Amino acid sequence: MYNNKRLVVSLGFLFNSFLYFSYADPGQSCSNTSSYVGFQSDFTMVQHQLRGVLTIIDDCSFRVSEFDMLSGADVRWWGALYPDFGNFTNGFVISNHKLHDTYKNASFVVRLFENVTWDRIQVLSVWDLPTASDFGHIIFSNKSALSPGLAPSPSNNDTALEEGKKGILPAPTMFDNCKKLSKNYRIRWSLSVKNDFIEIGLEAATGVQNYMAFGWARRHYGDELMKGADVAVTGFTEEGLPFADDFFITKYSECMIDKDGTASGVCPDTVYEGNDTVGLVNNTILIYGHRMDGVSFVRYRRPLVSVDKKYDLPVDRAANMSVIWALGLMRPPDALRPFYLPQYHGGLRYVSYGHLVLNVSEQVNDCLGPLDAEDKEDQDLIIADANVPLIVSAGPAIHYPNPPNPSKVLYINKKEAPVLRVERGVPVKFSVQAGHDVALYITSDLMGGNATLRNETETIYAGGPEAEGVLASPKELVWEPDRNTPDQVYYQSLYQEKMGWKIQVVDGGISDMYNNSVVLDDQQVTFFWTLGKDSISIAARAEKKSGYIAIGFGSGMKHSFAYVGWVDEISKGHVNSYWIDGKDASSVHPTNENLTNVRFKSENGIITFEFTRPLRPKCIHEGWPECNNIIDPTSPLQVIWAIGSQWSDNYLSEKNMHSDTSNRPVRVLLMRGSAEAEQDLRPVLAVHGFMMLLAWGILLPCGILAARYLKHVKGDGWYLIHVYLQYSGLAIVLLGLIFAVAELRGFYVSSLHVKFGLTAIFLACAQPVNASMRPKRPANGEEVSSKRLIWEYLHIIVGRGALIVGIAALFSGLKQLRERYGSEDFSGYSGALLVWFLIGLLVVMYLEHRERHRRRDRAFGRSNWVLGNIAEEDSVDLLTPTRAAQKALQQSGRMEVQLEPLNRS
């Protein structure tokens, strides 16, 4: 019976070969000189539930039939010279035929590249290029030893039903028949009449801790088919090893052993009879088993007629017989019951258990396509703990999840290549003790081993050459994934490819991913942020259900920049930015702002969105609104919010308007990580502004005016007034600076106001230093030294420059307050300040006019006799022509009598 299906396959092969050669292009015909022509073998399943039969047609083509496979990323036909890890991974694509779908019992012909011959291929594989992953393969020479990365070699002579052509044995996943028991459970079998046994394969997309049971019932019909049934229970031990045991059912209960040693329930045959040392009771023989892609597969053999007449039922190969099956959890061994026992299956009939009538001689194949488990990850999962380091070591490859692989792979906490799960914002500690030849690093590249050596690019998140150590001297590596870390990265060795495996990066509490968070007005929206060097990462989460959430930067909806996250009609999330210049739908305009690392999540109507943007957007076109959307971390950021039931990116209407909004802005202090409610003006900043106005608007200008226009007063009164006013103004300036630094919790030079202010303060502080270095004033009749002359010019220029820059700082400060606080009052303050300085300018013009008249009167006098050298005094203007005349008089060295005419009225 086993050969029937092979006969059908061979006839189909001959027919398709006839069609192939009949319609082939004569110019593309191939020779048949290779010794491999006619070779036929089953594929060895490695991943993606791959099954099939390969037949070599001629020197340049082969046929694949009964082909099953779950789809991959970029799957190709792959050839290698030898099956060891190095040769396998350095193999080559042998055909332009791509395997891009899920295949269900498919048949097709594959043509080799012109430069590929069969003598260059010892291993033919179905290969996924992005992951360098072997889905299944055929080894043409059974003399080659398999590497640890390949699946076990096909069955030996004791387990195979029949040898295939060229001495290659069939892979243990292929059978003559397949019957669908439920959506996720199948039975496959092949009957050997000659040898009087049947080989059965149980296959289910079920949990790794679940059993698969199948067997024959005593009756054809009835409600209690399980009682007296002879079943095989299969599964996997806690170490991942397959097992298949012969069970007998006496009643509907788990296996129980009474005090007198009597067993009852669903128990192994050996429990009823004691130790079965000669194999007379346990007649179920394990052939093969694997756990791949979330699917359990166990192959076992049992005789059609057993020598055990008490607990085994004879199988009539020509009769319709009732069979039962079940899926459920297993109980692992303990001190009282040292064997794996099935628990009550529970669940629904024909989902978790069932029965049917089966004739094993009939040809059946209703299993179309591979089983596709929802959860394909069978590897151990380790969840990182911030307080407990992960022990990284190296060990032999046994169940590496991405074959082929080297013989030595990475272990974490003594588990072979587990999936590691970490949370963003939570540090992960590694204690690396895998040897000096293993340097751990976290990379974006699946294969590792330094991608640059393969001319590939990768992003390294942590680790490197220095992250190596041994048990006696481990190396500690700390890595903190952030919100920009991809959802999946890999831990690998820098010196060897494919030693590690996946890291799942998940969002824990969103607060862990951001350095700061505040609750905005009315406690409806939470605002999160993390400042970078030139960017800021922002998140917003609504605290109640909504269709969209919007946050805006500004004191109100009008003239603000908004960021909106919403769910569309097909439940897809979106995040976009807008400029709002009015209070209706037509005033909301999309922008071209560059948002990166955008994420959106909606859970039960609670919306959270995230993005990263530059602090100062790159302005591509002058005049675009987003050019003005600058975030200054040193200044408070006014944030408002709105939520509603519906948003549309294309056609906004009044329906898109908010259903709930913040009542007032909240000023977020980005550098301090806090927020405060909107006020007219923060008191400390108000005091800072008043002190600066008092200093730069009154005291310092008046001190300069005293030195300019009061020198004609007898004595040194002008000098005392000048000094007292200047020192008072400078003291108030420094005190106001201290208030501002204390309020902002830092000293940040970023805004124009701060730059103007610091420049003015520097120039003002330079004046007392300059005054202390003043050269001695020349006595009457002495020539003014060059040092004195330079000092006088420097003192005047620096003082007047400080005043001009200080006034600019006052205006820029009011402008910054107006931009950040949005109050129209600040425009009035700027106007008032401008009026004040205009009045001051008029006063200076009037005083300058009076001073010039006074000096002219002194030069010519009113019927006065002027005798001798004119005394040198600081009231002389360095910039007037009379200075040169006076100098000439001093240089003459002669006593002169100047006669001045009397002015006549």
Side-chain angles (χ1 to χ4, degrees), residues 186-200:
R186 296 171 177 178
I187 175 177
R188 299 176 183 269
W189 75 93
S190 293
L191 186 64
S192 178
V193 178
K194 177 182 177 181
N195 298 310
D196 193 37
F197 65 77
I198 183 172
E199 286 199 358
I200 296 175

Side-chain angles (χ1 to χ4, degrees), residues 550-629:
I551 57 170
F553 298 160
S555 59
M557 182 186 299
K558 189 175 181 180
H559 302 306
S560 68
F561 292 93
Y563 300 89
V564 183
W566 76 95
V567 182
D568 61 18
E569 295 81 359
I570 60 174
S571 300
K572 183 180 179 181
H574 302 267
V575 179
N576 208 347
S577 61
Y578 300 87
W579 160 249
I580 304 176
D581 58 5
K583 293 189 176 182
D584 55 11
S586 61
S587 302
V588 181
H589 312 288
T591 69
N592 294 304
E593 190 171 352
N594 181 28
L595 303 182
T596 57
N597 300 313
V598 177
R599 297 186 180 186
F600 180 92
K601 181 169 64 176
S602 178
E603 295 180 343
N604 298 321
I606 304 300
I607 293 178
T608 303
F609 70 84
E610 309 170 62
F611 62 88
T612 299
R613 53 147 291 177
L615 294 173
R616 181 179 294 272
K618 185 178 180 180
C619 191
I620 301 177
H621 298 281
E622 293 292 338
W624 282 15
E626 52 265 32
C627 296
N628 300 320
N629 190 13

Side-chain angles (χ1 to χ4, degrees), residues 577-876:
S577 61
Y578 300 87
W579 160 249
I580 304 176
D581 58 5
K583 293 189 176 182
D584 55 11
S586 61
S587 302
V588 181
H589 312 288
T591 69
N592 294 304
E593 190 171 352
N594 181 28
L595 303 182
T596 57
N597 300 313
V598 177
R599 297 186 180 186
F600 180 92
K601 181 169 64 176
S602 178
E603 295 180 343
N604 298 321
I606 304 300
I607 293 178
T608 303
F609 70 84
E610 309 170 62
F611 62 88
T612 299
R613 53 147 291 177
L615 294 173
R616 181 179 294 272
K618 185 178 180 180
C619 191
I620 301 177
H621 298 281
E622 293 292 338
W624 282 15
E626 52 265 32
C627 296
N628 300 320
N629 190 13
I630 300 172
I631 293 181
D632 180 6
T634 65
S635 300
L637 178 66
Q638 289 183 302
V639 183
I640 57 176
W641 60 266
I643 58 177
S645 60
Q646 183 182 358
W647 188 267
S648 174
D649 194 28
N650 297 322
Y651 304 102
L652 293 175
S653 65
E654 298 303 322
K655 293 182 179 180
N656 301 125
M657 294 298 100
H658 45 259
S659 59
D660 200 1
T661 64
S662 53
N663 292 321
R664 57 180 178 174
V666 169
R667 281 196 297 269
V668 178
L669 310 178
L670 299 174
M671 301 295 298
R672 291 174 54 180
S674 61
E676 60 184 17
E678 176 72 14
Q679 301 175 4
D680 292 335
L681 187 62
R682 290 157 62 187
V684 176
L685 291 183
V687 172
H688 166 80
F690 173 76
M691 296 177 75
M692 292 303 181
L693 176 63
L694 177 63
W696 294 108
I698 298 177
L699 297 179
L700 295 175
C702 289
I704 294 176
L705 294 180
R708 172 69 178 168
Y709 301 116
L710 294 183
K711 289 183 178 179
H712 65 280
V713 179
K714 293 182 178 181
D716 57 355
W718 69 271
Y719 179 76
L720 295 177
I721 294 173
H722 173 72
V723 171
Y724 289 155
L725 288 177
Q726 298 303 92
Y727 277 111
S728 299
L730 182 58
I732 292 175
V733 165
L734 295 176
L735 190 59
L737 174 64
I738 293 173
F739 280 4
V741 171
E743 178 66 14
L744 297 176
R745 300 289 180 90
F747 197 81
Y748 311 104
V749 183
S750 56
S751 66
L752 184 63
H753 169 65
V754 175
K755 293 175 181 178
F756 274 141
L758 292 179
T759 303
I761 292 173
F762 173 78
L763 294 175
C765 290
Q767 286 296 80
V769 178
N770 177 269
S772 66
M773 301 170 61
R774 178 178 59 179
K776 184 178 179 181
R777 187 177 66 182
N780 289 341
E782 291 184 0
E783 182 179 359
V784 180
S785 67
S786 60
K787 291 183 178 180
R788 173 75 184 191
L789 189 62
I790 293 173
W791 176 86
E792 289 179 352
Y793 275 105
L794 182 64
H795 190 68
I796 292 173
I797 293 173
V798 172
R800 294 177 183 179
L803 181 62
I804 294 172
V805 178
I807 293 172
L810 289 177
F811 281 102
S812 63
L814 285 175
K815 181 177 181 294
Q816 181 169 316
L817 289 175
R818 182 173 67 253
E819 291 176 350
R820 291 301 174 190
Y821 290 87
S823 175
E824 298 296 333
D825 295 338
F826 292 109
S827 298
Y829 296 154
S830 299
L833 186 63
L834 180 61
V835 171
W836 172 257
F837 283 112
L838 286 176
I839 293 174
L841 180 61
L842 293 176
V843 171
V844 169
M845 293 174 63
Y846 172 73
L847 292 176
E848 187 66 24
H849 177 73
R850 288 288 303 273
E851 179 68 12
R852 289 186 178 277
H853 272 284
R854 187 184 66 78
R855 290 184 179 182
R856 188 177 57 196
D857 290 344
R858 284 194 58 191
F860 297 103
R862 295 192 179 191
S863 302
N864 293 328
W865 294 88
V866 180
L867 299 175
N869 288 345
I870 300 176
E872 177 72 35
E873 60 181 33
D874 290 338
S875 63
V876 178

